[in-house]
Amino acid sequence: MVLKEKEKTAIQDLQTQEQTCINKYGKYSDEAKDPVLKKLFKTLQQKEQQHFNSLQQVLDGSVPSCNCNDSDGKDYEPEVTYGPMANSEDKKSDCFLVTDCIATEKLVSSEYNMDVFVFADAALRKLLADIQIEEQNHALMLYKYKTANAMA
């Protein structure tokens, strides 16, 4: 597959978004106080790395297959660390990290939603749509963590 310049630029821009997510989840997994949240951030960091790698395959000339994983979000049931009455500095700090990541996932998801229309190739459009669904799942997982821990 040979990408047009506009397509190549769109993929590179998406890779920049994915790299930001990889870096943020790595940093936030180190900063999080709750071991459950640390684990969630590490999991999401790995998933963002997979997205980055898929986009690199596109830049290298092939479109990886995708499975439209739409179950991660609905199947995620986080352990509760912070009860509804807890109001510690650790909880406040973790709440900030989760809220920031939800905002980031919203941004990245909207980028995929817009950029998919740059491409005519059906397999590539399917890949981008699949990644967008996974980004939405990440936001849902974060929101479920936030709700379970009385942060929402």
Side-chain angles (χ1 to χ4, degrees):
M1 160 183 285
V2 177
L3 296 174
K4 297 175 187 163
E5 192 58 36
K6 185 175 182 178
E7 293 171 328
K8 182 179 175 184
T9 300
I11 295 294
Q12 290 169 332
D13 288 347
L14 290 169
Q15 269 192 314
T16 299
Q17 296 292 328
E18 294 295 347
Q19 187 63 57
T20 299
C21 290
I22 293 163
N23 295 344
K24 182 178 276 193
Y25 284 127
K27 180 176 174 29
Y28 283 8
S29 69
D30 292 339
E31 291 180 21
K33 310 299 185 212
D34 176 13
V36 174
L37 184 56
K38 285 179 178 287
K39 182 179 177 186
L40 176 58
F41 285 155
K42 282 290 186 195
T43 297
L44 294 176
Q45 183 184 32
Q46 292 168 353
K47 292 183 180 293
E48 300 295 359
Q49 184 66 57
Q50 291 169 357
H51 295 166
F52 184 92
N53 294 346
S54 292
L55 295 172
Q56 187 60 51
Q57 285 182 279
V58 171
L59 289 174
D60 293 342
S62 65
V63 179
S65 62
C66 55
N67 65 355
C68 201
N69 177 357
D70 62 353
S71 63
D72 280 355
K74 72 178 179 186
D75 293 343
Y76 180 67
E77 296 296 332
E79 282 183 52
V80 176
T81 301
Y82 301 110
M85 301 310 287
N87 201 20
S88 68
E89 290 303 312
D90 286 355
K91 180 178 178 179
K92 289 176 186 175
S93 176
D94 283 351
C95 180
F96 171 81
L97 299 177
V98 173
T99 301
D100 184 55
C101 287
I102 290 170
T104 300
E105 291 294 352
K106 286 180 180 179
L107 172 68
V108 174
S109 177
S110 68
E111 289 294 319
Y112 278 97
N113 188 49
M114 295 298 291
D115 285 350
V116 72
F117 294 103
V118 171
F119 302 92
D121 183 85
L124 184 48
R125 289 174 65 103
K126 182 179 177 187
L127 173 67
L128 297 179
D130 177 57
I131 294 173
Q132 183 200 20
I133 289 169
E134 290 180 3
E135 299 295 355
Q136 292 173 17
N137 279 324
H138 300 171
L140 178 58
M141 292 166 78
L142 292 161
Y143 183 75
K144 282 183 166 186
Y145 171 86
K146 193 173 174 179
T147 302
N149 285 281
M151 296 174 173

